[in-house]
């Protein structure tokens, strides 16, 4: 059986489309776990109604705690040998899970993934974030991590089917091989209280997964909805995802140092890139002495300037931005903001 876990929070408008795409799967031996994360728009009642219409649907209601807590709760209740995840405002092709399951069994691996595309609110397709292969490809952990660190790989769990045993072995390893029942974070697969949680868990999970099969084509469809955690409708807001991405880069560097030393320069490049993204998005008003994270970021860029200039993977553009932000961060940020506004004005004309 495949257990498909769907965290639900105030997505009543899109939930039926999502669930219908799962009920239409050509792989029929599945259960759908709708985890209502304290919705206030009627999504919880809709979950119950959908469950009453099809016995493959089960509903969990919980207090709001974020998508990680909802996913973790779903894993704890899952009965299937394999686990998949779908966001409640997205939808999938009818043969997605059949293709993923066939790949896992054919290649005798713990995980398989397939391509995804992004759909804009007006229905048009956005450029691919990750390019799927032209033929099925079996990717070993070190190379998979390299692809992630080079921003070419897909860290989303929504495009993957994973053998639940690998998740359980990961949690056991996280506890030092002891029973996890008495741990405060028992059952905490996805980290709670952070954004970009898929990347965080995936790089820790790689050694337990082993090779991952990547399939051609797009079968998962992301609905690009403004107002979600990483897609703020207010352009002046500053999502915490940028800080969490820097923290994940540091965690990746530690993992590389211990397990994949051949990727040191790749991991360093990733850490610089994530910090430059942070610097390019933080509002100027938050670039102050009172902001510890900002001050530490600038200090890191200055301390590692020489190494960055010698890094063979960082582009010339990366190095120019690094030099500018290390020298005069607030001035550069102001100028960059003015240039972006001017560019937007020209595009509108």
């Amino acid at each position: 059986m495949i257990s498909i876990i769907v965290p639900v929070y105030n997505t009543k408008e899109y939930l039926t489309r999502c669930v219908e795409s799962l009920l239409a799967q050509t792989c029929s031996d599945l259960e759908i776990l709708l985890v209502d994360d304290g919705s206030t728009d009627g999504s919880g009642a809709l979950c119950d109604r959908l469950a009453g219409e099809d016995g493959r649907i089960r509903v969990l209601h919980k207090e709001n705690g974020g998508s990680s807590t909802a996913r973790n709760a779903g894993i704890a209740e899952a009965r299937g040998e394999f686990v998949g995840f779908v966001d409640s405002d997205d939808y999938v092709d009818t043969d997605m899970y059949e293709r993923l399951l066939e790949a896992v069994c054919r290649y005798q691996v713990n995980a398989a993934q397939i391509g995804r595309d992004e759909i804009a609110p007006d229905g048009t397709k956005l450029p691919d974030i990750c390019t799927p292969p032209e033929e099925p490809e079996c990717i070993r952990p070190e190379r998979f991590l390299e692809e992630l660190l080079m921003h070419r790989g897909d860290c989303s769990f929504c495009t993957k089917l994973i053998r639940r045993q690998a998740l359980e072995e990961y949690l056991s390893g996280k506890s030092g091989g002891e029973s996890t029942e008495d741990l405060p974070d028992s059952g905490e697969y996805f980290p709670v209280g952070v954004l970009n949680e898929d990347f965080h868990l995936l790089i820790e999970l790689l050694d337990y997964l082993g090779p991952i099969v990547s399939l051609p084509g797009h079968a998962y469809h992301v609905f690009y909805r403004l107002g979600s955690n990483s897609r703020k409708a207010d352009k002046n807001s500053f999502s915490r995802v940028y800080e969490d991405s820097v923290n994940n880069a540091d965690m990746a560097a530690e993992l590389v140092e211990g397990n994949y030393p051949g990727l040191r320069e790749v991991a360093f490049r990733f850490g610089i890139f994530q910090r430059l993204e942070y610097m390019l998005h933080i509002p100027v008003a938050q670039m102050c002495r009172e902001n510890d994270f900002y001050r530490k970021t600038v200090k890191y860029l200055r301390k590692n300037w020489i190494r960055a200039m010698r890094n063979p993977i960082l582009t010339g553009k990366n190095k120019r931005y690094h030099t500018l932000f290390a020298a005069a961060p607030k001035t550069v940020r102001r100028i960059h903001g003015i240039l972006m506004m001017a560019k937007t004005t020209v595009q509108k004309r």
Side-chain angles (χ1 to χ4, degrees), residues 107-257:
Y107 292 92
Q108 297 184 0
V109 294
N110 287 322
Q113 70 176 18
I114 199 163
R116 60 184 163 116
D117 54 23
E118 292 209 352
I119 311 299
D122 63 0
T124 59
K125 286 190 176 183
L126 300 172
D128 282 352
I129 294 177
C130 308
T131 303
E134 295 183 1
E135 300 290 338
E137 183 179 13
C138 198
I139 308 173
R140 301 196 66 81
E142 183 169 0
R143 182 165 164 253
F144 197 96
L145 178 57
E146 181 178 5
E147 291 296 292
L148 291 177
L149 297 179
M150 291 299 297
H151 296 93
R152 295 191 295 255
D154 184 4
C155 69
S156 173
F157 274 83
C158 290
T159 57
K160 296 173 177 59
L161 183 68
I162 295 176
R163 198 181 300 273
R164 194 177 67 177
Q165 182 180 351
L167 287 167
E168 293 172 347
E169 289 175 355
Y170 159 76
L171 194 63
S172 177
K174 188 177 176 182
S175 67
E178 301 175 0
S179 173
T180 60
E181 293 180 0
D182 298 326
L183 291 177
D185 62 348
S186 179
E188 187 175 300
Y189 297 91
F190 290 92
V192 176
V194 299
L195 299 178
N196 210 2
E197 64 274 15
D198 284 34
F199 177 88
H200 183 114
L201 175 58
L202 184 58
I203 66 170
E204 287 191 336
L205 191 61
L206 283 177
D207 280 347
Y208 297 90
L209 292 178
I212 297 174
V213 174
S214 185
L215 299 179
H218 302 82
Y220 188 95
H221 308 291
V222 179
F223 182 69
Y224 198 90
R225 180 171 58 92
L226 290 177
S228 65
N229 283 337
S230 57
R231 306 166 192 153
K232 300 297 183 182
D234 180 3
K235 295 182 178 180
N236 293 318
S237 65
F238 183 51
S239 173
R240 201 185 70 242
V241 70
Y242 296 105
E243 292 185 10
D244 289 340
S245 294
V246 171
N247 291 331
N248 279 341
D250 291 343
M251 184 191 73
E254 290 183 13
L255 185 146
V256 163
E257 193 63 33

Side-chain angles (χ1 to χ4, degrees), residues 58-105:
R58 287 197 288 144
V59 180
L60 284 69
H61 295 283
K62 59 182 287 297
E63 293 183 1
N64 179 251
S67 60
S68 287
T69 65
R71 284 175 164 185
N72 291 337
I75 296 173
E77 292 293 325
R79 298 169 181 165
E81 181 183 354
F82 300 93
V83 178
F85 302 89
V86 175
D87 287 342
S88 57
D89 48 359
D90 300 336
Y91 58 100
V92 302
D93 285 354
T94 56
D95 64 347
M96 175 172 141
Y97 283 104
E98 181 180 10
R99 293 179 63 188
L100 290 172
L101 182 61
E102 193 275 334
V104 168
C105 296

Side-chain angles (χ1 to χ4, degrees), residues 271-320:
I272 294 296
F273 190 96
Q274 298 304 97
R275 284 172 170 83
L276 293 179
E277 281 288 292
Y278 168 84
M279 295 295 289
L280 283 167
H281 289 87
I282 181 174
V284 176
Q286 296 185 30
M287 302 172 76
C288 56
R289 291 181 178 274
E290 292 73 25
N291 189 333
D292 289 339
F293 196 94
Y294 162 71
R295 288 192 297 106
K296 289 178 181 178
T297 301
V298 174
K299 182 178 179 180
Y300 183 95
L301 292 175
R302 289 172 176 170
K303 180 180 178 181
N304 290 279
W305 181 81
I306 293 177
R307 182 180 177 187
M309 297 305 107
R310 294 174 177 171
N311 183 276
I313 309 170
L314 283 164
T315 66
K317 182 178 180 180
N318 296 154
K319 293 176 180 179
R320 288 192 293 274

